[in-house]
Amino acid sequence: MTLRPLSDVAADIRLAPEDVLPWGRDRAKVSLDALGRSQRQGRLVLVSAINPTPAGEGKTTMSVALAMGLRQRGRRAVAALREPSLGPVFGVKGGGTGGGQASLEPATDINLHFTGDIHAVTSAHNLLAALVDNAVYYGTPAVLDSTRVRWRRALDMNDRFLRHVLVGLGGKAHGVPRETSFDITAASEVMAILALAENLQDLEARLGRILVGHAPDGAPVRAADLHAAPALVALLKDALMPNLVQTREGGPAFVHAGPFGNIAHGCNSVLATRMALAYGEEVITEAGFGFDLGAEKFLDIKCRASGLWPRGVVLVVTLRALKHHGGASAQQLAAPDPEALQRGFQHLEQHLDSIAAFGLPAVVCVNRFPQDTQAELDTLRDFTRQRGVETAECEGFSRGGEGSLELADRVLEMLDRTDAAPPSLASSMS
Amino acid sequence: MTLRPLSDVAADIRLAPEDVLPWGRDRAKVSLDALGRSQRQGRLVLVSAINPTPAGEGKTTMSVALAMGLRQRGRRAVAALREPSLGPVFGVKGGGTGGGQASLEPATDINLHFTGDIHAVTSAHNLLAALVDNAVYYGTPAVLDSTRVRWRRALDMNDRFLRHVLVGLGGKAHGVPRETSFDITAASEVMAILALAENLQDLEARLGRILVGHAPDGAPVRAADLHAAPALVALLKDALMPNLVQTREGGPAFVHAGPFGNIAHGCNSVLATRMALAYGEEVITEAGFGFDLGAEKFLDIKCRASGLWPRGVVLVVTLRALKHHGGASAQQLAAPDPEALQRGFQHLEQHLDSIAAFGLPAVVCVNRFPQDTQAELDTLRDFTRQRGVETAECEGFSRGGEGSLELADRVLEMLDRTDAAPPSLASSMS
Amino acid sequence: MTLRPLSDVAADIRLAPEDVLPWGRDRAKVSLDALGRSQRQGRLVLVSAINPTPAGEGKTTMSVALAMGLRQRGRRAVAALREPSLGPVFGVKGGGTGGGQASLEPATDINLHFTGDIHAVTSAHNLLAALVDNAVYYGTPAVLDSTRVRWRRALDMNDRFLRHVLVGLGGKAHGVPRETSFDITAASEVMAILALAENLQDLEARLGRILVGHAPDGAPVRAADLHAAPALVALLKDALMPNLVQTREGGPAFVHAGPFGNIAHGCNSVLATRMALAYGEEVITEAGFGFDLGAEKFLDIKCRASGLWPRGVVLVVTLRALKHHGGASAQQLAAPDPEALQRGFQHLEQHLDSIAAFGLPAVVCVNRFPQDTQAELDTLRDFTRQRGVETAECEGFSRGGEGSLELADRVLEMLDRTDAAPPSLASSMS
Amino acid sequence: MTLRPLSDVAADIRLAPEDVLPWGRDRAKVSLDALGRSQRQGRLVLVSAINPTPAGEGKTTMSVALAMGLRQRGRRAVAALREPSLGPVFGVKGGGTGGGQASLEPATDINLHFTGDIHAVTSAHNLLAALVDNAVYYGTPAVLDSTRVRWRRALDMNDRFLRHVLVGLGGKAHGVPRETSFDITAASEVMAILALAENLQDLEARLGRILVGHAPDGAPVRAADLHAAPALVALLKDALMPNLVQTREGGPAFVHAGPFGNIAHGCNSVLATRMALAYGEEVITEAGFGFDLGAEKFLDIKCRASGLWPRGVVLVVTLRALKHHGGASAQQLAAPDPEALQRGFQHLEQHLDSIAAFGLPAVVCVNRFPQDTQAELDTLRDFTRQRGVETAECEGFSRGGEGSLELADRVLEMLDRTDAAPPSLASSMS
């Protein structure tokens, strides 16, 4: 497919040309200088979901669809999403660029090397590992107990043989034998730090605090004790800049940083979200797994660390998943089953209660499948409306932005209702 | 320092703008389509050296200096050099972008991630390793004897603890215990293949022929038997495009592929050399170690594989190194020592004989140091002139192109003398 | 100290001289032929204890003391005990030959190599391990999945570094890398088998049934599949013969086989018990840990396998341990504490109930310490008498057989009361 | 077969009954006290051989045969030989108790556990290993560099999987990962020490000097630094006593200690040789491999350490081996081949020269095979006679002592000729 020139996409949201650094075809990084050049502040929308099922809920697809729908309504909407890991691409999981007509481009490049951010994290992670083992070996600049090293190695590869390894074999010239492991890069603490860092100084400070092991007397040894942080920052300098790509319909999307949700906070970078808010009217971001784990992490880790706060939540559901939570078997999810759906509403209700507990308004988004019946959809609408929450259908997967207009409208209404300042972090914590 | 816009540098050698893909600041890749758009064919000059000493001869620095000097003489000269490995940057060796006033820019970026080529090689290498171990584990798509796996893993890091490792520990779910090693990426066979491939099809064919191990009956198992080649090509698609940067004086340089000379052929890529020849009048390329090992590999491997052939050789020497080869101790190299110099000439003479044995004309280039005396330089000039070879001094390190004019002139004279077609590969082999 | 000639000790119980094979000084093995030469059948007394505490109850010491006391009353009493493991001798635990005046001799030799039984078990265990790895390596005479080998190696040494090891490193000539472990020999299944075997044929059959691992299709692979049993029997031929030593007072004791109670049944060998019953009037044997674990294992494993059954139980207690079970701290155990003692009686009562549940009569034996007060001892006597069980004090540790006469008398009374045939195994199981 | 009572065998050479400790059936150890009870000093005969071939020369068989022949001539001859290792018994090599009618009994027991000497060496070796690793782990009583530990482990088992192992895996509680190896026990330095020790004090001193590794500063760490020697001596106390068995014809033989000749001196123990000399008129001992390696080690290590010196040498040859050394193929060794035999004499001559260089008289012993022809034997006799050396045929393998009378007679003649005192060690060294 033919994409719009990325410079045009950037111009749409008024990014200065000198801040946009092309990075191969249809990819760019945006200079951190751009943050200082905008005084605007868009409205942040968090897309989360009910708990994931084997059937899939399409959170990323709905995020892209919402951005598309808002753009069709004339808004400068910007998606701010995580970048996918190469490991799972060649392993089990699908790519992380949305699906169908609601996807990001250039999908293949984003799913492979993209702009090299993950490679930079791998390099930084393993440079620290080499410095750690040098310290084990030479006892400088810090003394480490070789049996209590905590820092492992990283590789952006799904490779079972690397989960438990022994390094340093082959005699004194090759180190000291140690049991360790290779984590997939998305599970690296460096990736989590990259996603939280506010600037190069903050990045260096956070890297320096990494706990790499213990001294023989049990005292903690940190990356800063190995004088490691400046070299790591040198390797991560480019990676800290948010990446700009576009939706299939030519709308802007920042795709940046990808810490795994099962071991870290699982959200895109603070800097990409800030950049999107500085240049977009609405910013669509996503938090992993269900609202219970992923969105609470988003609110409790990323938002507390950064001071950001969403204006509202889009909770993605599918009828299939609700029926699954209601006890229907995997083979029967496409068929109507009012009882299972009704039982699944209990699951949905719990998530709506959690959203309300944070003082946030919500829209339920049904990622519509062809087999969904109107009767079932109406039941869902009634259920949520009784709880004061609107439900919007979204056909973004099959129809792109045009199929996402209802969702866009409901979200705009929600945002307009929230005209007061967003609840302060403090009040949400009380 | 402020660099010229890379688009201007590309325009100087008449590259079409659509063939130049910016890759971050001051770096670009050049589309392989550009090869078909030029019918020209520049003159290839090989820069080699006498055997390396701890004192250093400055082969890369002299290559850049020669390109600078030729450009000051009004020639569209292009350097075509190897890209440096990140591993040694944080390890022992210096960077690979020349030195002083005769260097490439942006040096830091070239020495770190550059355009991600080495990361792509690492990814491809380790994806093949994961496929190999999957075959060890599942016995499909090929059966491998776990004790006779030859394919190791790669990481772009100087890390002694990874030279001899055990993978697959921790019980059946984590694989089968195997002793193996992590090679530095520049020593990967994938890197050697990238440097020799003519196009994507050739790349895939070469990757498929990699020997990864043996079946229980001893039969060879190759990457193609694991259906690995298409996935590796997908990872190497961008990496196959030559990278364009510039000298400190704004002249063009292709820096692409970096296989280690101690285990592979040690030259930049065939495609970068072809691209430079298609757009430059003179192309300066380099071959590692001394002429005996590095240049013979260049001629016997890269040239035979590609059909390329140089028009002449620049043999880099320093007075210090000649004195070292003549028996002077490391502490005395800066002081005049006519006897040691004279004895070192035997070493030089052997290399000149080797060059002549290939039917190639030569210029000796003295990488001049401040302490070098005129008397010593004159002795050297006399010695080489008696053997029919001109000697040129080069002060590129301290003075850039302006200090390299004598070298440029001698090289141009040599090339002009060689007006006949270069000796065919066949004749040089007879 | 000067010991009686072992031939005299053997003659006391009417062993034929040709059945007694001297094995170094003061040690002998008794030929299995001796079993067929006696039609007599002694009375089996099981010595067990309440649950062990850090203070120690002295089960082995009381067993030796009881044998000494019975001998002073003119009985041909024989102790039948486990042989200690060399590993713990040089590690943490004390030896296993009793204590004070109630010990076995030659204590040092028994605690070190004794008659080589444990070395024979080590050899047999590791020969099987070598055969297993040969099968892993060559695939004959059975095919084994290298990741599912269950047979480990054994060494009679407390060596933490051998608990988790990797063998087969160093390339194809040195095997296939495998994670495994060295168990202490007393924890070897071969030791457990030696202790249960009835004769050489039974030994071979039991060894052949050892599960050593699994074939690639999951089918079990046993020692017999490796044709291993005959070679193992050859190594265990001498070890199968019971060992004869003496108490410090010159009474006979069979000390044979020592499987650990925490992973096996923890009793001396069936053959030694049979030999003692064939030549002794009373046979004192012991079962590890408390009655709950150790004696139930004795009854449920050793007795069921062999058809043996005890005529009564001696349950060893100390006032210190009862107070400990009653909540007194380790520092206060020597001081009188009637409340703690009273609470500790609940613990004792549970064990008495367990003994009764097996239909066995019991005598409580107080291993008397100097600090024990008469008042506390009287309370204990009253407590057990109310439950129909006599309590006997024993000062065997400090006074040998002479200090054990009360215990001997109570045991003889108990045995005489049990004049009916012992409850059959079948009835105890119903 | 029925053997003589070992007490009768001992009585033949006038050993006091209290010095002979029976050790199971037909085996005994002899107390070191016996050394002080005899003032006699027998004549030591060294049996060596030409270089070993696949055909086998039968050095041990000829040693036993010579002892038998001498006994038939009425001499109190005693064999003093090495004890075989269990490892090779279940591996490749044959047992070490001679062959045919010229063998030791009880052969099976000698080849299996014998009197436990090798097990004691294994235990002592591994106890030291455990103490070494405790020092690595705790840093007391000496500090060891974990990468420079030299002391390995030992097992009396031919087990390829144990040649290169990793110990200490599984986390801090299980030690520190270290690469090491299991040597076969016969290759243990403890075995070599046992064979050289003169008494318990000397044994302790030699054990204390074992180099186990290095401190972080490179200083040697010895067993004595770990306070290890007393515990090792406790384990080796019984093993230090020579073992007494008999030939098939009821003559005495000391079989004691078995260090491998390829890594140690390869001879039986000094104490067994001393004991044999104290009680025998002639003592037949053996030194491994050919005279060049094995006998020179005997003379240069065992004799220098002990002050012992042989009165003469028996050099074992076979016609087959001589033809093999003369170039005949393995298939043709049984057939007459005068040329090959003649060429093989050069090999024999070299060994005779070596014997003469030590100032020792020699008899050549032909271990006769059924296919050997009289003509070939006569050629050999002529060859050696020209060099002043008698040749004796020996049919001990098929006929025992009666087939060894010629050998016995030639040896007695040689010894009688050497009536002067044996050359002092000093003179042989000048």
Side-chain angles (χ1 to χ4, degrees), chain C residues 135-202:
Chain C
V136 168
Y137 194 69
Y138 292 114
T140 60
V143 178
L144 271 162
D145 177 347
S146 74
T147 65
R148 297 177 70 193
V149 170
R150 296 169 56 97
W151 192 249
R152 316 203 285 187
R153 280 176 177 77
L155 211 58
D156 189 28
M157 190 65 62
N158 247 8
D159 189 337
R160 80 173 67 231
F161 279 64
L162 295 180
R163 285 185 208 147
H164 189 171
V165 304
L166 250 153
V167 299
L169 302 181
K172 193 163 185 62
H174 295 171
V176 177
R178 275 207 312 109
E179 289 179 275
T180 186
S181 175
F182 278 79
D183 292 319
I184 198 162
T185 302
S188 164
E189 188 174 346
V190 174
M191 179 61 92
I193 286 173
L194 185 75
L196 290 178
E198 292 284 356
N199 49 50
L200 286 168
Q201 290 69 36
D202 184 41

Side-chain angles (χ1 to χ4, degrees), chain A residues 170-235:
Chain A
K172 194 163 185 61
H174 295 171
V176 177
R178 272 206 314 109
E179 290 180 273
T180 185
S181 175
F182 278 79
D183 293 319
I184 199 162
T185 302
S188 165
E189 188 174 345
V190 174
M191 179 62 92
I193 286 173
L194 185 76
L196 290 177
E198 293 283 354
N199 50 51
L200 285 168
Q201 291 69 35
D202 184 41
L203 177 66
E204 183 167 338
R206 288 176 180 271
L207 291 168
R209 292 197 295 267
I210 292 174
L211 178 67
V212 297
H214 293 273
D217 67 359
V221 178
R222 299 187 183 280
D225 297 322
L226 307 180
H227 314 321
L232 304 192
V233 168
L235 285 168

